[in-house]
Amino acid sequence: MIEVTGIVALYVFMLAAVAGYEVITRVPVILHTPLMSGSNFIHGIVVVGAMVTLGVAETPVEQAIGFIAVLLGAANAVGGYVVTERMLEMFKSSKKEDG
Amino acid sequence: MGLVVQLSYFVASVLFILGLKAMSSPVTARKGVMWAGVGMVLAVLATFAHPKVGMDNLILMLIALGIGGAFAWYTALKVQMTEMPQMVAVYNGLGGGAAGGIAAVALLQGASSEGSVAASLGAEATTLGLIGAAIGSVAFAGSMIAWAKLDERLKRSTLTANHQQWNIGLAIATVVLALWVFNAGSGLPILLFFAAALALGVFVTVPIGGADMPVVISLLNALTGLAVGFKGFLLGNPALIIAGTVVGAAGMLLTYLMAKAMNRSLVHILFSGFSAAPAAAEAETEGEMKEVGTADGAYMMGYSDRVIIVPGYGLAVAQAQHKLWEMVELLQRLDVDVKFAIHPVAGRMPGHMNVLLAEAGVPYDMIFDMDEINEEFEDTDTVLIIGANDVVNPAAREDESSPIYGMPILNVDHADQVLVVKRGRGSGFSGVENKLFFRDNTRMVFGDAQKVVAEMVQTVKGM
């Protein structure tokens, strides 16, 4: 298994940045708010990092900070998902309504 | 890392990118967020099997996930669509806080072992951890201030007379403290470092005006993404690197697009408040406002062939979007061709007005961006402007001394007649008088948007 560190991580970083840039250039203005919310949801992946951090925590202080980090990360992910989904749910096409 | 965990992170990363891509069209957007959601669940479940995660903290982990998730689920379902910008700010801040917490634990572990933090963690990891921690803390503090300002809990826009110096001072302090942490072997510099970074987030965000806040939220969103990406480097976790960096890059571009649409440069927004803009030269207004009743306004639209509606945030404040859609449906029955024109900064952030109209049931293919529709105003009989002001002010095109000069606007003055629904006679958010209201072909209807539209609905029904 290849560890993602050093120069490999740098390549991953560069390609991910290009992907992020390319993905958004094709988004129409009407979806900007849901998109901001959707990308906000995606960085909720931080919860995974927080879980690993809490998992390796040893002292009570580390555990407390890790606990808060998981709590905040989970709120970021869940809240981001629910508001994005709520917004997108409302977008309807008139063609669909007629048909 | 176990193969299953690795593969789960890989699949999650793919789902995140495909999900964002699917969000580029209204047709597939819902699928997109669902794919990303599946990716998130997969990544979280896989993490329970992560070899580094000890069993002792498992219960704590489940409790934290439960509380955080339940709190967010509840607030997200309850929030009003008009309050969406500050809600995004809150969730974004929480993510930044989580990123800061991850770094804090890593740095504390480094500090508590033999030698300096850098010696035990490695120079590379320490540097990335510190950068991520600083960015995450600024994003956390900044987002909370952004929320407080948008929610009108925080009204003041100064903390001290010399904001600029404080910002620079705090930025330098953060860097110096980071260097201290790098070489330190105790917890004190870590604490001071976080305090400085959090204060920096507060001081940078407080002076920013409400109108610029969406751009700032978008920037903070991008920063949180970057912070998460750096945490990915620190933890050697590719899912965090990819998801964080994709959001960071996408967020930066989105921020740039928003700032451009508002005719503001990012540097200007961050380093000088709206109040610092040159005072508006008193524009001389010719003629006077011509007021008409709601019935006359309704007839103007009812006897038109083509009507374009320009909604602004005032429409949403008055909760008039449902009534407005009712009126549009009635007009369509009279064979009037109705379209909606949305300025990029209508609402409180780009696309916000589209969400508010969608909530009222307006199909998205009746809604047009400024660039798509600006040519059409010339062939339009009546333009109805509700709760918008600066975005239709011709001074942005004609008057070089105006503070909004150069801002792209909707060319509503090219239409045959313009109908403006306005709460009172005051000027817009920027404080600039709008000459459009004084033109010969402009008619004003004063009153609460919801009441005015409700009365118009009654008139149109009788036509």
Side-chain angles (χ1 to χ4, degrees):
Chain A
M1 203 91 266
I2 304 161
E3 284 297 318
V4 184
T5 49
I7 195 73
V8 180
L10 207 59
Y11 276 106
V12 173
F13 180 77
M14 185 270 288
L15 292 172
V18 173
Y21 188 91
E22 281 300 314
V23 156
I24 218 178
T25 44
R26 288 166 208 149
V27 175
V29 178
I30 74 156
L31 284 172
H32 274 185
T33 293
L35 179 85
M36 184 153 120
S37 174
S39 59
N40 177 40
F41 159 64
I42 287 173
H43 70 54
I45 188 72
V46 72
V47 69
V48 164
M51 287 169 73
V52 175
T53 299
L54 177 59
V56 299
E58 282 159 5
T59 66
V61 176
E62 288 169 14
Q63 280 180 321
I65 300 174
F67 181 83
I68 293 169
V70 174
L71 196 147
L72 297 181
N76 179 183
V78 173
Y81 183 84
V82 175
V83 293
T84 310
E85 163 70 23
R86 268 187 66 194
M87 278 191 261
L88 291 175
E89 192 187 12
M90 297 181 312
F91 283 99
K92 281 182 275 244
S93 159
S94 60
K95 284 164 200 115
K96 253 187 218 162
E97 274 185 347
D98 296 342
Chain B
M1 238 186 267
L3 183 64
V4 178
V5 179
Q6 288 256 24
L7 281 177
S8 303
Y9 286 165
F10 175 76
V11 173
S13 303
V14 172
L15 285 171
F16 288 152
I17 295 174
L18 289 179
L20 263 187
K21 172 106 178 70
M23 280 190 218
S24 64
S25 154
V27 186
T28 54
R30 242 187 123 183
K31 262 185 244 159
V33 71
M34 279 174 195
W35 290 343
V38 170
M40 189 69 73
V41 171
L42 188 67
V44 169
L45 288 180
T47 307
F48 283 109
H50 196 291
K52 269 195 200 161
V53 173
M55 284 295 116
D56 353 338
N57 291 320
L58 201 64
I59 293 169
L60 277 179
M61 207 179 289
L62 289 171
I63 295 172
L65 285 173
I67 297 175
F71 156 79
W73 188 278
Y74 177 74
T75 52
L77 282 180
K78 238 187 61 176
V79 63
Q80 295 286 317
M81 282 300 152
T82 43
E83 292 164 359
M84 209 47 93
Q86 55 263 49
M87 216 56 220
V88 173
V90 170
Y91 297 136
N92 176 54
L94 298 180
I102 294 170
V105 171
L107 294 171
L108 282 172
Q109 283 175 339
S112 60
S113 53
E114 291 290 303
S116 68
V117 173
S120 63
L121 291 182
E124 193 186 317
T126 312
T127 310
L128 291 171
L130 283 168
I131 296 172
I135 298 175
S137 304
V138 169
F140 172 72
S143 297
M144 290 307 152
I145 296 292
W147 165 78
K149 290 200 87 158
L150 284 175
D151 219 39
E152 289 175 1
R153 283 161 203 267
L154 178 78
K155 297 235 169 75
R156 62 192 302 175
S157 54
T158 47
L159 290 173
T160 112
N162 315 312
H163 252 284
Q164 220 78 293
Q165 285 88 329
W166 272 90
N167 288 347
I168 295 166
L170 283 167
I172 293 172
T174 308
V175 174
V176 170
L177 286 165
L179 291 173
W180 188 15
V181 173
F182 199 83
N183 299 305
S186 73
L188 178 70
I190 297 174
L191 198 67
L192 292 175
F193 163 73
F194 276 102
L198 289 170
L200 180 62
V202 172
F203 272 78
V204 167
T205 321
V206 164
I208 294 167
D212 289 329
M213 213 39 107
V215 180
V216 175
I217 296 175
S218 175
L219 178 66
L220 293 170
N221 186 40
L223 286 181
T224 307
L226 271 185
V228 172
F230 282 124
K231 295 301 92 126
F233 283 108
L234 185 66
L235 300 168
N237 188 322
L240 261 69
I241 300 179
I242 292 171
T245 310
V246 165
V247 171
M252 286 297 175
L253 180 61
L254 185 59
T255 308
Y256 168 74
L257 291 174
M258 281 190 195
K260 208 173 109 188
M262 296 170 79
N263 192 39
R264 309 271 284 147
S265 88
L266 209 52
V267 177
H268 199 77
I269 290 171
L270 290 177
F271 298 110
S272 67
F274 203 66
S275 52
E282 272 309 309
E284 282 171 42
T285 47
E286 294 148 29
E288 50 189 284
M289 294 194 196
K290 286 161 279 291
E291 190 176 348
V292 295
T294 52
D296 289 330
Y299 283 127
M300 277 166 72
M301 287 183 285
Y303 289 120
S304 296
D305 290 325
R306 298 158 69 88
V307 171
I308 295 180
I309 299 175
V310 178
Y313 188 60
L315 174 81
V317 172
Q319 290 290 324
Q321 60 269 46
H322 292 87
K323 275 281 163 212
L324 182 63
W325 174 231
E326 193 184 333
M327 184 178 81
V328 170
E329 285 182 305
L330 289 167
L331 286 172
Q332 284 177 325
R333 241 167 259 163
L334 296 170
D335 281 330
V336 182
D337 175 32
V338 187
K339 287 174 180 167
F340 286 86
I342 307 239
H343 190 272
V345 297
R348 297 172 88 180
M349 54 186 184
H352 189 206
M353 187 50 68
N354 304 76
V355 172
L356 295 169
L357 288 177
E359 189 190 14
V362 181
Y364 59 76
D365 42 18
M366 278 179 69
I367 304 174
F368 296 87
D369 292 345
M370 181 173 69
D371 296 337
E372 290 174 324
I373 205 163
N374 242 354
E375 302 286 307
E376 288 187 37
F377 283 107
E378 284 181 32
D379 307 319
T380 301
D381 303 309
T382 307
V383 172
L384 173 68
I385 299 168
I386 302 188
N389 189 344
D390 292 336
V391 298
V392 294
N393 190 344
R397 259 194 343 248
E398 296 158 359
D399 181 5
E400 282 184 43
S401 65
S402 172
I404 60 167
Y405 180 74
M407 181 174 91
I409 56 159
L410 289 160
N411 298 325
V412 292
D413 50 327
H414 292 175
D416 288 346
Q417 45 188 4
V418 179
L419 190 61
V420 181
V421 177
K422 218 169 156 300
R423 214 161 56 166
R425 288 169 185 267
S427 46
F429 194 89
S430 66
V432 184
E433 194 70 66
N434 195 339
K435 275 194 207 170
L436 176 76
F437 301 159
F438 298 90
R439 295 209 171 182
D440 286 339
N441 60 349
T442 304
R443 295 290 177 274
M444 308 294 293
V445 182
F446 292 108
D448 173 72
Q450 190 173 20
K451 239 175 100 189
V452 168
V453 178
E455 286 172 20
M456 286 179 169
V457 166
Q458 291 310 317
T459 310
V460 178
K461 261 185 194 162
M463 286 177 78

